[in-house]
Amino acid sequence: MERKAVVVGATGLVGGYVVRELLVQKEYNRVMVMGRRPLDIKHPKLEQALIDWEQPQKAAFAFEGVDDVFCCLGTTMKKAGSKEQFRLVDLDYPVLTAQLGKEAGAVQMLTVSAMGADPDSRVFYNRTKGEAEEALAAVGLPTLHLFRPSLILGARPERRLGEAAAAVVMKALDGLMTGKLASYRAIPAPVIARAMVRIALAQASGVHIYPNDIIRVIGAELTSDDEEPVTGTAPDENV
C-alpha cells in the first residue's frame, strides 16, 4: 500500500537525510516537506508547503492523507537566543506537528529527541526534551517513536564551534568507547535517518524509545533500493 509521509524540520541535518531516505522507498508515493523555506531538492514524489508557526492551522491541508509524520525540529540555545525560544522550537512546534498529524488521521509519528531526555532533569536542555516527549505522548497518536541520539555527526553549513570541537574528540575516542560507554558514541546523521524510516516501515504500535546504541544498529546498513535520483544541496539548519 502506498503511503504519504510529512517531514517537519527537513532543512535540518537529520531531516534532510530523512527526506532523501523516504524518496527512495517504494512504499512512499508522496513525501510532503513542511518548513519556513523550501528545500532545494527535485523529485517526482516530493511536495512542499510553507508553514507559519504562529498560524499552524493554515498548513493543515498539507497533512491530508498522511500516514507517517517525521519531526526533526531542533535548535541550540545560541541560535534560539533565549530559553523561551528554545522551548518553542524543541517542544511547542513538535507538539503542534503531532496535533496536526492526529487531526489528519496519521498512524504514527517519529521524532528526534536526545540522549538524556528527562522531564525531571536539572539540565534545561534535557528537561525540555523530556517534557517534549511527555507532551507528544499525551497527544494520543496511535504510534509514537522517540529517537534519542548522542552527539550527531554531519556537515553543517552553519558553524557550531562547540559541537565541532566535541565531534573531533568523540571521533578520536570512538574506538575506545566500548561496553557501557558505547551508548555515548557520536552518531552520523544518515544513520539516524535510516533508522527512523526503517522503524516507520515496520509499523509497530504504541510508544517506543530508541537509545543511541539501538539507533546505530537499526540504521547501520545502507539501503539498496534504486529509484529516481535525488538532486539538491546539502541539508541546512532547520527552523
Side-chain angles (χ1 to χ4, degrees):
M1 184 178 69
E2 294 181 326
R3 297 160 74 172
K4 175 182 176 180
V6 170
V7 184
V8 180
T11 55
L13 184 57
V14 174
Y17 286 111
V18 166
V19 171
R20 286 162 172 76
E21 189 70 25
L22 289 168
L23 291 175
V24 298
Q25 301 299 326
K26 62 181 182 299
E27 290 85 353
Y28 291 96
N29 67 318
R30 298 176 65 192
V31 178
M32 172 66 76
V33 170
M34 302 288 300
R36 286 179 170 174
R37 58 186 184 279
L39 192 65
D40 186 18
I41 291 180
K42 295 181 179 180
H43 194 282
K45 294 183 182 181
L46 184 67
E47 304 172 46
Q48 301 200 55
L50 299 181
I51 185 170
D52 177 357
W53 288 109
E54 299 301 319
Q55 304 179 69
Q57 287 299 328
K58 288 188 176 181
F61 73 92
F63 287 80
E64 293 176 1
V66 66
D67 297 287
D68 306 330
V69 178
F70 293 80
C71 182
C72 304
L73 292 170
T75 188
T76 63
M77 278 298 299
K78 180 179 180 181
K79 186 173 182 179
S82 67
K83 289 184 176 180
E84 290 74 18
Q85 287 300 312
F86 181 88
R87 286 178 62 85
L88 272 177
V89 175
D90 282 63
L91 194 161
D92 295 346
Y93 294 169
V95 172
L96 283 172
T97 299
Q99 291 169 341
L100 289 171
K102 183 181 180 182
E103 290 169 5
V107 175
Q108 60 183 337
M109 180 173 183
L110 305 96
T111 188
V112 179
S113 182
M115 175 180 282
D118 181 353
D120 297 318
S121 174
R122 294 182 179 181
V123 179
F124 173 75
Y125 179 87
N126 293 346
R127 184 169 67 253
T128 300
K129 290 293 188 179
E131 290 174 351
E133 290 186 354
E134 285 192 336
L136 288 171
V139 172
L141 281 159
T143 304
L144 175 64
H145 299 286
L146 302 166
F147 295 79
R148 294 178 174 177
S150 181
L151 178 69
I152 301 173
L153 300 176
R156 301 178 189 268
E158 177 186 276
R159 286 181 60 82
R160 293 183 177 181
L161 295 179
E163 285 190 6
V168 171
V169 174
M170 293 290 274
K171 284 182 180 179
L173 296 176
D174 191 71
L176 301 176
M177 300 180 76
T178 58
K180 292 183 179 180
L181 291 177
S183 61
Y184 294 92
R185 294 168 62 194
I187 184 168
V191 173
I192 303 170
R194 286 195 297 269
M196 294 178 76
V197 174
R198 288 172 180 172
I199 288 297
L201 292 174
Q203 300 187 58
S205 60
V207 178
H208 303 270
I209 297 174
Y210 304 90
N212 191 62
D213 51 349
I214 299 301
I215 298 172
R216 293 181 70 97
V217 173
I218 297 172
E221 297 180 1
L222 293 172
T223 59
S224 58
D225 301 72
D226 292 318
E227 289 194 6
E228 299 88 344
V230 181
T231 60
T233 58
D236 195 356
E237 287 301 309
N238 60 34
V239 180

